[in-house]
Amino acid sequence: MRIFVQKITGLLLFLLILSFISFCLLQLVPGDPVRSMLRVDDVAVTDDQIQQMREQLGLDQSVFVQYGYWLQNLFSLDLGNSYMTGRPVFIEFIEKIPYTLMLTGTSLLVMIMISLPLGILSALYRGRMTDHLSRIFALIGSSIPSFWLGLLLIDLFAVKLRILPSMGEGSWQHLILPSITLGIAMSAVYVRLIRASILESSHQEFIRSARARGVGKQRIFTFHLMRHSLIPLLTVFSESIGSLLGGTVVIEVLFAYPGLGKWIVDAITARDYPIIQGYMLFMSIFIVLLNMIVEWSYRYINPAIAIDPRKKGVTS
Amino acid sequence: MSLSIGLRYSFLTLFLLFLIVALVWTPYDPYQIQMGDRLQTSSAIHWLGTDHLGRDLLSRIMEGARTTVGISLAILFVSLLIGVPFGLLSGYIGGWLDKAFKKIIDAFMTLPDYIFALILTGLLGPGLVNLIFAITAVKWVSYARLVRSIVLEQRQKDYVRLAEISGMKPWKLVVKHILPHTIGNLLVLATLDIGKIILMIASLSYIGLGPQPPSPEWGAMLSEGKTYFQTAPHLMIFPGLCIVITVLLTNSWGDFLRDRYDVHIQSHSAKRSMSSILFRKGV
Amino acid sequence: MLSIRGLTVHHQLQTLVHPLDLQLHRGEWLALAGESGSGKTLTSLAIGGLLSADLHAHGSIQLEGKELLHLSEPEFRHIRGREIAYVFQDYQSAFTPFITIGKQMDEMIRAHTSLSRQQRQHSCLAHLEQVELPAKPVYNSYPFELSGGQLQRAAIATALLLSPKVLIADEPTTALDSLTSRSIIQLIQRIQQETGIAILWITHDLRQVQRTADTLLIMKSGQVVESGKSHSIFFHPTHPYTVQLLSSIPKLPSRYRLELQNKQVNT
């Protein structure tokens, strides 16, 4: 819990600085949000209208005043309304979360289904054909732009074979191609990690102790070795949750999937600043929260964390 | 092993040759629009075909190589230029500077690279310069962090203490004795990063935040080509392949150098937390 | 009971253990002594078929007339733990860190027998009591919650769970402080008196086994340089290396020391 508070305060400080910079940048950037906003309605815009809109949004005041307002509203989770839809940023953010989480979850599933067997096999048969193949897979997998892989998959499954939908959302079939694309892209790293972790664990002396007790090979592998290998993997995983969410952005755009990623890219294209700022803030908190959840799950795998190390020794 | 080293060197040489040629010559003007020749497939005249505006794809890919590789090297260079001195200072001087720096690092680490760069380009608006600025702003941190950790590690060594005691000037000590220790690690991290940066540029410009048309960039070319990929798949395949080959080359070189210098950049933090978790024993 | 003839251990072309003979009888305490790298641990691992894949053992190892070296891995599994049990030096690695002691003891019984749950738990608790541990709490705790001495006791209890015929103890007290290690030795002595188990005790420190060992086997660079009844070796070492080992013992009773000094003068 202390770590959580530390993380959050550090993050808030960072966001404060970043949001202020972003406010200053807004003054410098070309392109007027008000114009782009009014242009959405596609009618001739008069200068009066623009001026009126500016006042309405408070854009006519100085940066510092605007920033003050923004901070004030922040505490009531009110980050203003989207220029595009006129709806509160926070509500829109919350609405998009399930989509992205769903996509992330299914991609993780694909990732595990690919990388776990490949990683185990290449650890068991290290230096042999399987190992070399998985190395090549990992190397190529980490060199392919995920969106390009996605385009190739769309071409094959949606255009040529016509068995899967390519775009949008609505049925479980819509999730297949995006998840496979992301899953493959992610598993490249994990195949090698799993392999290394298993090899590292197999040299642990407690494995020999279990063998000396006559415990069966399969049981040692699943109950002793694999579980031990999972611990560093979880650490790496919790550290890379952020980049995992980063990876969903381009995939969501590619597949026109209405999650957080497409939302922010659309907002950027439309210069919808309340959304950009809100996204920055909520996304950081969201990632920290997800990190906490993963770290929490450690204790089920490694009870050494859950139990206070000071309470050592069983007194008789 | 020697075969793969030979292959690695020859691929690198080929790639560099391609880049050098692309710097001085392209078969056609990459910006020349020929609406009569649009969406042609490979032929003797246009080796890789033409795009939706009739521009020669090979010429555009060569021009794009300059942009893509050029941008990523520029980002790398600036990141090193900012990150290394920062890491050296923070690690060597310590105190409040280091504490403040650690806070900055932690904050940077919470937001993933890609999202951070995305937000920055979003705020600044799309374009080449903004893209470079945004990715550099994200990337320099990892170099500063790496250098800082090496400095902290080396400072504990006896030879540094000896040099300090014998009255060596701090800047001389840092440059002459500590800096050389960072080179192997920096080389590996930088090589692996070229690929990552290229992928990041490509994916940001695919979204539409990169260099604006008509200037060719591989990711942006993919974005343009996507509209036509049923009728003219070559528009999508060739730029994509170029990205894959380039990143593959830098990644395999990075792996090779990492084995060679025996450094563990990625696993640094993971290793530490793993052992601290595992070996926190109740003795 | 355990009879080893001409055992060798190879790594590729290198011979790590030269032909070694060893006889271990019921109720006997045999100490295999030598410096690190002398091949004593390799010998002990070869008996249980625990050598890593790149090491090869040849010769003959018989347990009550049954040849062990030609056993397949699944057959060997049934010998290990049930007939030959191990206690290792690194007590922290005696148990897998994230599984409770009880579960690991239970797992071992299940690997070899088909006892019921109650029977298994009863046996585990009884054995933990035998090694003078608070049975119930230890049964439910994770390895990292115990102290070094407690862990090594738990490891001994686990080794004795299925009443093996031979206990191979590979420097079980080296990593412990001297008080704890003495109490561990006393514990094993007591258990041997109660059960008549044969003990192969591996150590680099002769001082430890001075009073407990019946038979001594001194190894150096993979070769047995001296063997025999321990008191006769303590009094009349023949090989210079043994003399050296003995003289490195700091506190010998004065009558031994005199003997030794005479010996060194003579050679």
Side-chain angles (χ1 to χ4, degrees):
Chain A
M1 203 56 208
R2 213 187 68 235
I3 303 165
F4 180 69
V5 172
Q6 243 171 11
K7 263 195 177 169
I8 287 286
T9 48
L11 185 71
L12 286 179
L13 204 75
F14 171 70
L15 286 175
L16 214 64
I17 299 166
L18 196 68
S19 60
F20 184 70
I21 295 173
S22 77
F23 253 92
C24 296
L25 285 173
L26 282 192
Q27 305 298 308
L28 304 171
V29 289
D32 188 336
V34 176
R35 279 182 192 279
S36 55
M37 199 176 143
L38 289 174
R39 217 172 293 139
V40 177
D41 305 335
D42 226 3
V43 281
V45 191
T46 63
D47 282 354
D48 276 355
Q49 271 176 308
I50 291 176
Q51 195 52 39
Q52 202 183 342
M53 194 72 173
R54 275 179 181 283
E55 278 165 23
Q56 194 186 329
L57 293 169
L59 288 175
D60 55 336
Q61 286 161 16
S62 82
V63 190
F64 296 99
V65 177
Q66 282 186 46
Y67 187 59
Y69 279 134
W70 190 74
L71 276 186
Q72 200 183 338
N73 291 333
L74 183 62
F75 288 102
S76 45
L77 284 178
D78 176 13
L79 290 183
N81 297 343
S82 155
Y83 291 167
M84 289 187 293
T85 60
R87 299 174 60 227
V89 173
F90 183 66
I91 302 290
E92 290 213 339
F93 184 82
I94 295 291
E95 280 173 4
K96 303 288 178 186
I97 283 183
Y99 290 102
T100 295
L101 275 188
M102 180 77 123
L103 176 61
T104 315
T106 48
S107 313
L108 274 180
L109 216 63
V110 175
M111 185 271 273
I112 291 170
M113 279 176 351
I114 296 173
S115 59
L116 204 61
L118 265 184
I120 291 176
L121 282 177
S122 59
L124 288 181
Y125 301 100
R126 73 168 176 287
R128 308 237 208 110
M129 205 54 183
T130 333
D131 193 17
H132 292 309
L133 286 180
S134 95
R135 196 186 181 101
I136 291 170
F137 169 81
L139 192 62
I140 294 180
S142 59
S143 308
I144 290 187
S146 58
F147 59 92
W148 191 62
L149 180 67
L151 281 170
L152 294 182
L153 289 177
I154 290 178
D155 189 40
L156 181 63
F157 290 105
V159 180
K160 296 242 164 65
L161 300 176
R162 292 177 186 283
I163 47 177
L164 289 170
S166 64
M167 306 269 170
E169 162 290 319
S171 66
W172 59 272
Q173 285 105 326
H174 282 97
L175 269 171
I176 295 180
L177 278 182
S179 330
I180 290 180
T181 312
L182 258 178
I184 292 178
M186 285 191 288
S187 52
V189 181
Y190 283 94
V191 169
R192 297 319 278 177
L193 270 178
I194 290 173
R195 173 188 183 272
S197 187
I198 290 178
L199 286 181
E200 207 265 348
S201 302
S202 67
H203 294 307
Q204 294 285 332
E205 286 212 13
F206 62 75
I207 299 292
R208 188 181 71 181
S209 303
R211 276 186 35 158
R213 289 197 289 272
V215 181
K217 244 184 174 163
Q218 249 104 43
R219 196 178 159 87
I220 291 181
F221 188 80
T222 42
F223 284 81
H224 299 252
L225 204 153
M226 273 319 285
R227 199 164 149 194
H228 183 257
S229 313
L230 276 179
I231 296 169
L233 286 177
L234 258 183
T235 312
V236 174
F237 175 68
S238 80
E239 277 170 6
S240 62
I241 280 189
S243 52
L244 174 57
L245 285 173
T248 59
V249 173
V250 72
I251 296 299
E252 284 182 9
V253 173
L254 171 64
F255 288 96
Y257 181 84
L260 287 169
K262 186 160 185 334
W263 184 59
I264 180 66
V265 172
D266 287 348
I268 287 173
T269 320
R271 321 213 119 247
D272 195 335
Y273 290 108
I275 291 188
I276 302 178
Q277 282 165 336
Y279 176 84
M280 183 172 77
L281 185 80
F282 294 134
M283 200 62 181
S284 316
I285 296 173
F286 185 50
I287 289 171
V288 172
L289 278 177
L290 280 181
N291 268 328
M292 298 302 296
I293 293 171
V294 174
E295 267 163 40
W296 201 262
S297 71
Y298 276 166
R299 57 195 60 217
Y300 293 103
I301 291 202
N302 186 8
I305 295 178
I307 292 166
D308 191 345
R310 277 163 295 179
K311 272 190 274 165
K312 57 197 158 191
V314 175
T315 42
S316 36
Chain B
M1 194 64 197
S2 62
L3 177 78
S4 66
I5 289 177
L7 270 177
R8 206 171 264 127
Y9 275 104
S10 30
F11 274 123
L12 183 68
T13 320
L14 270 178
F15 183 73
L16 290 177
L17 269 178
F18 174 75
L19 276 187
I20 291 168
V21 172
L23 275 178
V24 292
W25 176 82
T26 52
Y28 294 87
D29 179 354
Y31 300 99
Q32 179 72 49
I33 296 174
Q34 294 271 344
M35 288 312 273
D37 295 339
R38 62 196 299 267
L39 298 177
Q40 285 186 4
T41 52
S42 306
S43 65
I45 311 161
H46 296 287
W47 285 6
L48 298 184
T50 57
D51 72 357
H52 61 292
L53 296 175
R55 296 173 293 195
D56 180 51
L57 191 62
L58 178 61
S59 305
R60 284 185 70 74
I61 281 180
M62 288 172 84
E63 181 80 1
R66 287 172 52 178
T67 331
T68 309
V69 179
I71 298 176
S72 67
L73 289 180
I75 290 171
L76 199 64
F77 184 70
V78 181
S79 302
L80 280 167
L81 216 61
I82 303 173
V84 173
F86 221 104
L88 283 176
L89 276 179
S90 161
Y92 192 79
I93 295 176
W96 66 269
L97 182 74
D98 195 43
K99 273 196 190 123
F101 180 65
K102 240 199 133 268
K103 278 266 174 298
I104 296 178
I105 291 183
D106 286 346
F108 266 93
M109 298 303 282
T110 30
L111 262 190
D113 285 5
Y114 185 77
I115 290 184
F116 193 15
L118 179 78
I119 293 172
L120 276 181
T121 18
L123 289 170
L124 293 165
L128 186 69
V129 180
N130 292 343
L131 186 78
I132 295 178
F133 176 81
I135 301 182
T136 312
V138 178
K139 275 290 168 196
W140 72 275
V141 184
S142 53
Y143 293 94
R145 197 166 74 118
L146 176 70
V147 170
R148 175 180 171 273
S149 73
I150 295 173
V151 174
L152 287 181
E153 194 186 314
Q154 292 298 323
R155 279 205 67 171
Q156 303 299 315
K157 298 268 168 79
D158 283 341
Y159 78 93
V160 174
R161 296 213 171 128
L162 266 176
E164 271 173 346
I165 292 166
S166 66
M168 194 176 216
K169 284 206 179 76
W171 66 268
K172 207 173 165 188
L173 174 72
V174 168
V175 172
K176 271 203 156 171
H177 291 281
I178 297 182
L179 194 60
H181 282 280
T182 63
I183 287 175
N185 284 276
L186 282 177
L187 186 66
V188 176
L189 183 62
T191 315
L192 287 172
D193 253 0
I194 297 179
K196 281 191 195 138
I197 295 172
I198 288 181
L199 287 180
M200 204 188 265
I201 296 171
S203 123
L204 284 174
S205 36
Y206 176 79
I207 292 175
L209 298 177
Q212 295 303 292
S215 71
E217 193 283 329
W218 290 342
M221 288 168 74
L222 282 177
S223 180
E224 285 171 21
K226 155 183 78 158
T227 329
Y228 306 95
F229 81 83
Q230 293 186 48
T231 45
H234 64 277
L235 288 185
M236 195 187 88
I237 291 186
F238 291 121
L241 270 181
C242 285
I243 298 176
V244 175
I245 290 170
T246 313
V247 179
L248 204 60
L249 187 73
T250 59
N251 273 352
S252 69
W253 265 91
D255 281 349
F256 171 66
L257 291 174
R258 173 160 54 189
D259 291 346
R260 186 130 187 209
Y261 287 97
D262 195 32
V263 288
H264 313 276
I265 294 164
Q266 275 279 299
S267 55
H268 236 84
S269 55
K271 268 261 170 59
R272 208 180 319 123
S273 32
M274 174 174 74
S275 46
S276 64
I277 290 161
L278 276 178
F279 303 114
R280 195 200 283 161
K281 286 160 183 168
V283 191
Chain C
M1 185 184 310
L2 181 72
S3 142
I4 299 178
R5 280 193 201 85
L7 175 74
T8 56
V9 178
H10 300 273
H11 175 67
Q12 289 160 353
L13 291 175
Q14 204 182 353
T15 308
L16 299 174
V17 174
H18 294 278
L20 175 141
D21 296 313
L22 181 155
Q23 301 291 327
L24 182 61
H25 304 285
R26 200 185 131 74
E28 185 183 357
W29 185 309
L30 188 149
L32 187 57
E35 57 197 5
S36 49
S38 61
K40 49 191 190 335
T41 297
L42 286 180
T43 309
S44 76
L45 292 179
I47 297 171
L50 286 172
L51 289 175
S52 59
D54 53 341
L55 296 172
H56 301 283
H58 298 283
S60 152
I61 300 175
Q62 288 187 345
L63 183 70
E64 295 189 315
K66 186 163 55 173
E67 179 59 49
L68 296 185
L69 267 186
H70 306 307
L71 289 183
S72 67
E73 177 56 29
E75 289 169 322
F76 233 133
R77 183 175 83 71
H78 289 293
I79 304 278
R80 281 197 302 265
R82 195 163 59 177
E83 306 198 19
I84 300 173
Y86 280 90
V87 179
F88 294 109
Q89 172 182 350
D90 183 6
Y91 53 82
Q92 298 186 329
S93 299
F95 296 99
T96 303
F98 40 76
I99 306 176
T100 59
I101 305 278
K103 273 196 190 141
Q104 298 191 52
M105 294 177 84
D106 190 67
E107 178 187 47
M108 176 180 175
I109 306 182
R110 262 196 314 177
H112 294 286
T113 67
S114 50
L115 293 176
S116 73
R117 227 169 67 88
Q118 281 95 342
Q119 284 172 313
R120 294 200 303 263
Q121 191 179 7
H122 182 261
S123 166
C124 292
L125 293 177
H127 278 89
L128 285 172
E129 259 159 36
Q130 194 190 9
V131 297
E132 293 152 15
L133 281 175
K136 202 77 196 176
V138 169
Y139 183 85
N140 287 321
S141 43
Y142 290 100
F144 55 85
E145 294 175 281
L146 303 184
S147 71
Q150 285 175 326
L151 266 180
Q152 201 60 298
R153 277 167 193 269
I156 292 167
T158 313
L160 297 174
L161 263 182
L162 300 165
S163 326
K165 302 189 175 82
V166 180
L167 175 68
I168 297 178
D170 188 354
E171 308 218 25
T173 60
T174 308
L176 298 169
D177 63 79
S178 57
L179 274 179
T180 318
S181 80
R182 183 170 309 165
S183 70
I184 294 274
I185 292 177
Q186 280 166 358
L187 170 74
I188 293 184
Q189 240 180 326
R190 202 197 75 217
I191 288 168
Q192 188 178 35
Q193 278 155 14
E194 285 168 15
T195 60
I197 191 171
I199 292 173
L200 178 61
W201 188 274
I202 289 157
T203 182
H204 66 274
D205 185 2
L206 279 178
R207 175 170 42 157
Q208 267 188 359
V209 290
Q210 213 170 308
R211 265 174 241 135
T212 50
D214 307 307
T215 320
L216 261 181
L217 215 68
I218 314 277
M219 282 184 86
K220 185 179 195 290
S221 343
Q223 259 159 336
V224 175
V225 293
E226 186 150 3
S227 67
K229 287 285 163 215
S230 70
H231 57 85
S232 74
I233 293 185
F234 272 111
F235 280 112
H236 313 287
T238 52
H239 195 276
Y241 180 67
T242 319
V243 177
Q244 196 188 329
L245 270 185
L246 284 173
S247 63
S248 68
I249 297 179
K251 278 184 199 160
L252 271 177
S254 52
R255 54 199 167 100
Y256 287 163
R257 208 180 306 150
L258 262 177
E259 288 272 349
L260 262 175
Q261 276 162 356
N262 293 340
K263 201 89 201 174
Q264 272 167 324
V265 171
N266 294 345
T267 43

